[in-house]
Amino acid sequence: MIDAMSSLLIVSGLAFYLAGSIGLLRLPDLYSRLHALTKADNLGLGLLTAGLALHAQDLLIALKLVLIWLAVLAASAASAHLIAQHARHRETPS
Amino acid sequence: MLTAQWLYAMTGCLIVALGLRTALLHAVLLHRLIGVNVMGAGVFLMLIAVAYRGPGVAPDPVPHALVLTGIVVAVSATALALALARRLTGEQDNG
Amino acid sequence: MNTTALLVLDVLLVFSLLSLAAAALATRDASRSVILFMAFGLVLAVAWARLLAPDVALAEAAIGAGLSGALLLAAVREQPRRALSGDAKPVHERERTSIDVTLQLTVTLLCVAVAALLAWALAEAFDRGPQDTLAQAVSETLAASGVSNPVTAILLNFRAYDTLLELAVLLTAVLGILALGPARPGYQAAGPVFDSLVRWLVPVLILTAGYLLWVGAHAPGGAFQAGATLAAAAVVLRLAGHRTAGLPPGRTLHVVMAAGVGMFLVVGLSLLVLGRPFLGYPPAWAGGLILLIESAAMLAIAATLVLAFLGGRPQPAAGLSGEKRQC
Amino acid sequence: MSELLTVSALGLMLSLFLGLLRVVRGPSTGDRMLATQLIGTAGVGLLLLLSLLLKQTALIDVALILALLAAVAAAAFTGQQRETGDD
């Protein structure tokens, strides 16, 4: 039962990752890429860590997994904002 | 011989050549520095590949210690080179 | 993990490394080149993990994928465009770009020859099979080293002289940086989004540094990785407008810079006085002494890397913004 | 279970690889940095899977450092304005 849950979580996490990457390649401009990607890969990592946490041997590892996800979540929210700001400032490809 | 060992070691050789070429030929200092750093990464790849003993087998820790030292020295040397470059362009601007 | 899947992963990793290295070196724009180099560092960290070198992967994740990129970006940002990027170079540099084709060809051939020589030497070494004499010596004496992580045992016990001299090299580099001039100009105080990032990122980085230092005795980690993580916290502070990046003022900074070499010498000389070889720890004390040296080394490495990021002598309180500190 | 993890690891590597194409192609610096963030997140996921597959618990710590330093790198890239100087 736990195995099935975990597999489901990991596979759906992977699907979000791949969707994000394809979006990064196919979407027409930076802003839509930012919009799509920051949601997709964070959700992907969240599902993946949840799936792996079910396998964790001890609580410390499960806690570390949660911490990693929170760190990525907070970091990417901030960096998406900063990248958008940066792009608006310059608005020139380099 | 392990395929993985061979694969990563040969990649290391190629990366050394790429980095060395830029370090010698590029006109711009920053690119030369990145070239030297890439070359260092190639050397590290060769060392870690030599240490590898296959999946599930503990690798040789001695090259690992060498590479660890190398990474820290490389970043300090890069910083010193950047400081030198900065002073150099400053002097040129002033005189 | 089965062999075929591992091989596919290896091929993809190797191909990524080669194409990122080539792209980083081929591009003419400086900041583009630095970003590609940072991505190269990220993939390299995964490669070290794949090759069962977690100690190296930790250092690469902290330095290769983070700090050296930040350092190079700061340099690119500061220099007027013509100095570091290829856009509009002074005349003598422009002449050097068009070095004659013969020279380019010769150097390229030379590099190919170097690669071929290295490949030949490695192939010879692989043919003879692994030489495990050193690795065996390490695993046999590990129990008496005071730590159970072999890499830490090598760096701080078996080859402690090398690490002492390495810290001396770092000290020399940082003295050079300090001697060359004042730090780059600081940054404006951070906006709200950046500020909220700083608020959680800095404490988490400091805590992680402490964790890595402590865990290094029995698992991957140690002074180098902890020092780099601590330095990352200071870099974030500096980007948020703290001019001195949390470095202590004046004399204290000099003490911290020399702490690694100093603690090594104090421990080594004390052991000499007690009638033991220089840095030949008594097994019962080895663990404690190593932790003591590593703590000092962590601070020294962090100070070195932060000063490297600053690019010169810290300049506290010039009256604009940022925090005011007396030197 | 192990097969699933293996396939997922390869899938993440593919995702990372697609991100690389965007880093190399650009066109803007923002695009490259965004793609580097994706490589970072995919790298974190890949390290977590590898920690299970290769039985190396320490790779979880590597993933943590990678996640934290990706934030530092993004901060360094977008930077703040210099106090003085001509950026």
Side-chain angles (χ1 to χ4, degrees), chain C residues 128-215:
Chain C
R128 295 200 187 142
Q131 304 287 313
D132 273 335
T133 34
L134 267 180
Q136 268 161 16
V138 170
S139 68
E140 276 159 20
T141 38
L142 190 60
S145 71
V147 290
S148 59
N149 173 9
V151 177
T152 306
I154 292 167
L155 285 173
L156 281 130
N157 194 336
F158 306 144
R159 302 295 304 168
Y161 277 64
D162 289 350
T163 309
L164 167 63
L165 290 175
E166 185 205 352
L167 290 173
V169 168
L170 293 192
L171 187 59
T172 315
V174 79
L175 287 176
I177 291 168
L178 288 184
L180 282 166
R184 300 191 181 91
Y187 297 81
Q188 284 173 6
V193 176
F194 201 98
D195 205 45
S196 63
L197 179 74
V198 175
R199 246 163 238 281
W200 68 267
L201 189 55
V202 171
V204 170
L205 281 169
I206 293 173
L207 278 177
T208 313
Y211 165 76
L212 284 177
L213 179 71
W214 180 78
V215 86

Side-chain angles (χ1 to χ4, degrees), chain C residues 75-108:
Chain C
V76 172
R77 288 276 162 75
E78 185 211 22
Q79 296 291 352
R81 286 224 137 210
R82 62 175 173 73
L84 275 173
S85 72
D87 292 353
K89 289 185 293 291
V91 185
H92 66 278
E93 289 214 35
R94 203 175 303 138
E95 278 164 7
R96 282 189 22 228
T97 333
S98 54
I99 310 172
D100 52 317
V101 189
T102 349
L103 182 62
Q104 282 203 11
L105 204 67
T106 321
V107 173
T108 309

Side-chain angles (χ1 to χ4, degrees), chain B residues 1 4-5 8 11 13 18 21-22 27-28 31-32 34 52-53 59-60 64 68-69 72 76 79 86-87 93, chain C residues 10 13-14 27-28 33 50 52-53 59 78 82 84 93 96 108 132 166 170 180 182-184 224 308 311:
Chain B
M1 186 170 57
Q5 200 174 39
Y8 284 95
T11 308
C13 295
L18 282 174
R21 187 178 178 279
T22 305
V28 181
H31 286 265
R32 287 183 173 210
I34 292 181
Y52 187 65
R53 293 283 178 274
D60 183 348
H64 290 190
L68 203 53
T69 312
V72 179
S76 316
R86 187 158 160 260
R87 182 62 186 266
D93 283 351
Chain C
D10 285 338
L13 270 176
V14 161
T27 173
R28 303 187 62 84
S33 180
R50 148 72 186 97
L52 306 179
E78 185 211 22
R82 62 175 173 73
L84 275 173
E93 289 214 35
R96 282 189 22 228
T108 309
D132 273 335
E166 185 205 352
L170 293 192
L180 282 166
R184 300 191 181 91
F224 293 106

